[in-house]
Amino acid sequence: MRDEHPIDRLFVTVEGPLPPAVADALRAAADELAGRRSWVLGPPRFADGLVLSIYTARPPWGAELDREVDRAHLDEVKELLGAACRISADHDVALMVALAGEDIGEIESGVLDRMLADGLLGEWERVVNSANG
């Protein structure tokens, strides 16, 4: 990876005021996730939600993104979103997901919406698998 490769942030939070119980669950999830693996750019952190830094794959940078790093980021995002799904279900709260400052989907009742399941994860998986195949 080149030193100047841009970094995006994936952000998971509620729309509007963050209920204290949900804030506590998100903070605990960040702490728990931090110890589960080695994270490419560091573990998720709590900042009014879950925040994960990843190297951008947006044009023109996607072509320069190392495929192993891209796969690792996909796995990291899946793990983060899995934790967010559990929090959404446990606290009966809808969570908004943004990437690089743009809303990209929602988790409601513990379930990823189609934009996240198919548009983000499904397409990302397809790209990673085609690059490896």
Side-chain angles (χ1 to χ4, degrees):
M1 300 294 310
R2 295 189 346 208
D3 288 341
E4 68 271 10
H5 196 107
I7 295 171
D8 285 333
R9 284 173 182 72
L10 184 78
F11 185 59
V12 179
T13 194
V14 299
E15 187 171 10
L18 186 59
V22 176
D24 290 345
L26 291 168
R27 188 177 292 107
D31 291 342
E32 181 183 329
L33 288 167
R36 282 194 187 165
R37 65 177 324 137
S38 175
W39 300 81
V40 174
L41 292 174
R45 59 186 174 80
F46 176 81
D48 292 330
L50 291 173
V51 182
L52 178 66
S53 296
I54 60 174
Y55 287 113
T56 190
R58 293 179 291 143
W61 296 96
E64 296 185 22
L65 186 59
D66 180 277
R67 293 302 148 209
E68 289 182 26
V69 170
D70 199 20
R71 166 53 78 183
H73 278 324
L74 173 59
D75 292 342
E76 292 173 353
V77 169
K78 284 180 176 180
E79 194 160 351
L80 179 90
L81 292 178
C85 285
R86 289 186 291 281
I87 292 167
S88 171
D90 291 349
H91 294 273
D92 193 29
V93 64
L95 297 173
M96 307 302 295
V97 180
L99 179 62
E102 295 182 28
D103 291 339
I104 60 168
E106 184 174 311
I107 301 167
E108 192 159 354
S109 300
V111 179
L112 299 174
D113 71 6
R114 194 163 163 240
M115 290 298 296
L116 292 171
D118 298 336
L120 176 68
L121 298 179
E123 181 62 16
W124 196 348
E125 187 87 46
R126 185 193 66 73
V127 168
V128 167
N129 288 339
S130 69
N132 292 334

